[in-house]
Amino acid sequence: MNPVIKQLLTSIGMVAAMILLASIAYLSYTRTEHFVISSRWVDHTYTVLIQLDKVTADIKEAESSERGYLLTNDMHFFRLYEQAAQKLPADMKTLQMLTADNPVQQRQVEAFNARVQDKIDSIHAIINTKRENARLATDPIFLGMLDKGKGIMQDIRIQATSILNTEQALLRQRLKAMEEEATSTRQWILVGNLLAACMLLLSFWLLIKEIQSRALAQRKAEATASQLEITNRELESFSYSVSHDLRAPLRAIDGYSRMFEEDYSDKLDAEGLRLLSVVRTNSRKMGQLIDDLLQFARSGRKQIEAEPINMSPLINEVWQEVTADQMAHNTQLELQQLLTVHADRALIRQVLINLLSNAVKYSKTKPEPRVIVRSTHNRDMVTYEIEDNGVGFDMRYYNKLFGVFQRLHNADEFPGTGVGLAIVQRIIVRHGGQVWGKSNLGEGSVFGFSLPWKEPHHG
């Protein structure tokens, strides 16, 4: 599958999964809230029933106390009556508050409350009549009061039963609603969990497929890299062997040309001597080119053996070698701060040879050629710069600067093979650093390279 399409599908799938999970969470939350609300209504109904039972018990307690007092004249029963009569108004008020949400039940409770109050008044009147007039149980007026009290109590029972039936009907409805909410909530949570589980399994499957795909790609990359490494080694070995083998015939050509020139120069005319000189010059150029290619190959094959390098003595040593070969004794060398670096001494020496020889070569046309070497330390890298006041180069061709056989100056004016800076770049990159150059035509150049910084040990 096209990687772009695969990435697009993955993004769409992730967005869809997030939306689905959010929807499942919202539905689970709302269904749970509905279930909680239904449970509260059921609890409310139970509370109404308990309060109704409490009021009924109070009025029964008051009536029982009334009978006990009428039969025994015992003040204990009178006090029980007073306690029940004191509790009833508060309990009735609570019952009215609990049924405020139901208009039908509210009307029933109001009628019930009126009859309860009538019963309290009736009991109070009977007890006062008994206490004040000491009427007998056979007194017609007293018996009438008792019959009226029994009638009120009968009405209270009927009204309490009506309220109880209404509330039980509500309880059944609310229990059914709660059960339906519970069932619905369980179903939604089950469906949500199943969908979440499916998404997790799908994600897990996609993750496994992605890991397998990446592992396969990594194995292919490793196999390709291994094959490339083998191929490169074979090519380097082949190039090294060919270059090495080419040196012998070139030396033979130069040697025999030199002997021919020495032995038969008096028999050759000027044109013959010129042609012989051309042969020797080109054979030496070819030899130098082969030497540079061999050096380039060695710079990539040599094992890096890092060690602390004191740069000042090394640069002085290289400078003596470079100025001796190029007969540039008039070039002034200025060394500024030079930090110690941890690198391969032989390879860094080759870097310095190439950069310093270039600096000397391209500044030799100046009346007062000068080369400055300095270094700085920035975080985890140490940087070295080699500045000259030579002819410089055109920055428009900077991309060719570190390529093999790439030259920015005429070979007749500044001889060379165009391999030196490529060697410098290869060595610095192998050390984990970078190399660069900057210049203005006619105003000199600055070539720099950076290397990983390692704190030197003291003592």
Side-chain angles (χ1 to χ4, degrees), residues 55-332:
V55 171
T56 306
D58 288 342
I59 196 65
K60 288 180 179 178
E61 179 67 23
E63 186 183 39
S64 299
S65 301
E66 173 205 11
R67 290 177 183 174
Y69 178 74
L70 293 177
L71 293 174
T72 63
N73 285 329
D74 187 346
M75 291 303 293
H76 171 70
F77 290 107
F78 181 73
R79 285 191 293 273
L80 289 176
Y81 153 71
E82 287 186 328
Q83 291 175 1
Q86 289 175 356
K87 291 193 315 180
L88 268 170
D91 289 340
M92 279 304 305
K93 186 176 181 180
T94 302
L95 182 61
Q96 287 180 314
M97 292 175 60
L98 289 173
T99 56
D101 60 286
N102 190 334
V104 175
Q105 196 72 317
Q106 187 75 28
R107 288 193 294 272
Q108 289 181 333
V109 170
E110 287 177 357
F112 178 69
N113 185 30
R115 296 306 285 167
V116 168
Q117 189 59 46
D118 291 342
K119 181 61 179 177
I120 294 299
D121 294 341
S122 171
I123 294 174
H124 186 69
I126 292 172
I127 290 177
N128 285 339
T129 301
K130 173 68 176 176
R131 293 179 65 186
E132 294 172 358
N133 303 319
R135 290 181 182 276
L136 298 176
T138 57
D139 184 357
I141 297 175
F142 192 70
L143 290 175
M145 295 174 66
L146 292 176
D147 289 340
K148 182 180 178 182
K150 290 180 182 177
I152 294 172
M153 193 63 195
Q154 184 63 28
D155 291 344
I156 289 174
R157 290 193 181 92
I158 293 172
Q159 289 176 339
T161 302
S162 177
I163 294 172
L164 178 65
N165 291 337
T166 302
E167 206 62 32
Q168 285 181 339
L170 285 174
L171 178 62
R172 287 192 293 272
Q173 293 175 4
R174 289 169 177 172
L175 282 173
K176 182 179 179 181
M178 185 182 73
E179 184 63 29
E180 290 175 352
E181 292 290 349
T183 303
S184 174
T185 302
R186 284 195 297 270
Q187 290 174 346
W188 277 106
I189 292 176
L190 178 62
V191 171
N193 288 333
L194 287 174
L195 288 174
C198 291
M199 291 176 60
L200 284 175
L201 290 174
L202 180 61
S203 301
F204 186 66
W205 179 76
L206 290 174
L207 183 62
I208 291 177
K209 297 294 290 181
E210 183 65 21
I211 291 173
Q212 290 176 343
S213 175
R214 292 192 178 190
L216 180 61
Q218 184 177 359
R219 286 197 294 271
K220 288 182 178 178
E222 289 175 352
T224 303
S226 178
Q227 186 60 41
L228 283 174
E229 185 177 355
I230 294 172
T231 304
N232 284 335
R233 287 181 180 175
E234 290 176 349
L235 286 173
E236 287 181 356
S237 179
F238 175 76
S239 301
Y240 185 85
S241 300
V242 170
S243 300
H244 190 270
D245 292 344
L246 283 174
R247 296 175 70 187
L250 283 173
R251 286 177 179 173
I253 292 172
D254 185 55
Y256 282 112
S257 298
R258 180 175 54 81
M259 288 187 292
F260 185 80
E261 184 180 24
E262 290 174 354
D263 296 341
Y264 300 97
S265 60
D266 55 340
K267 298 180 180 178
L268 294 174
D269 57 9
E271 181 62 16
L273 290 174
R274 189 187 68 81
L275 293 175
L276 192 59
S277 175
V278 170
V279 171
R280 292 195 61 193
T281 300
N282 282 282
S283 64
R284 286 196 294 271
K285 286 183 179 179
M286 181 62 74
Q288 183 61 48
L289 178 59
I290 291 172
D291 288 342
D292 289 344
L293 287 175
L294 289 172
Q295 186 63 42
F296 184 71
R298 290 192 194 101
S299 66
R301 300 171 61 180
K302 183 183 182 303
Q303 185 72 27
I304 293 179
E305 298 174 355
E307 60 177 309
I309 303 174
N310 189 342
M311 292 294 277
S312 293
L314 179 60
I315 291 175
N316 283 320
E317 175 186 328
V318 171
W319 183 256
Q320 294 299 323
E321 179 180 337
V322 168
T323 53
D325 289 348
Q326 300 195 24
M327 301 299 290
H329 299 290
N330 61 329
T331 305
Q332 298 298 316

Side-chain angles (χ1 to χ4, degrees), residues 1-15:
M1 182 182 292
N2 189 311
V4 176
I5 296 177
K6 186 177 181 181
Q7 186 175 3
L8 180 62
L9 291 176
T10 303
S11 301
I12 293 174
M14 289 182 64
V15 173

Side-chain angles (χ1 to χ4, degrees), residues 3 91 115 141 218 240 255 314 328 357 379 385 393 424 431 447:
D91 289 340
R115 296 306 285 167
I141 297 175
Q218 184 177 359
Y240 185 85
L314 179 60
S357 62
R379 296 184 178 179
E385 288 187 334
F393 60 87
V424 170
H431 278 80
F447 281 89

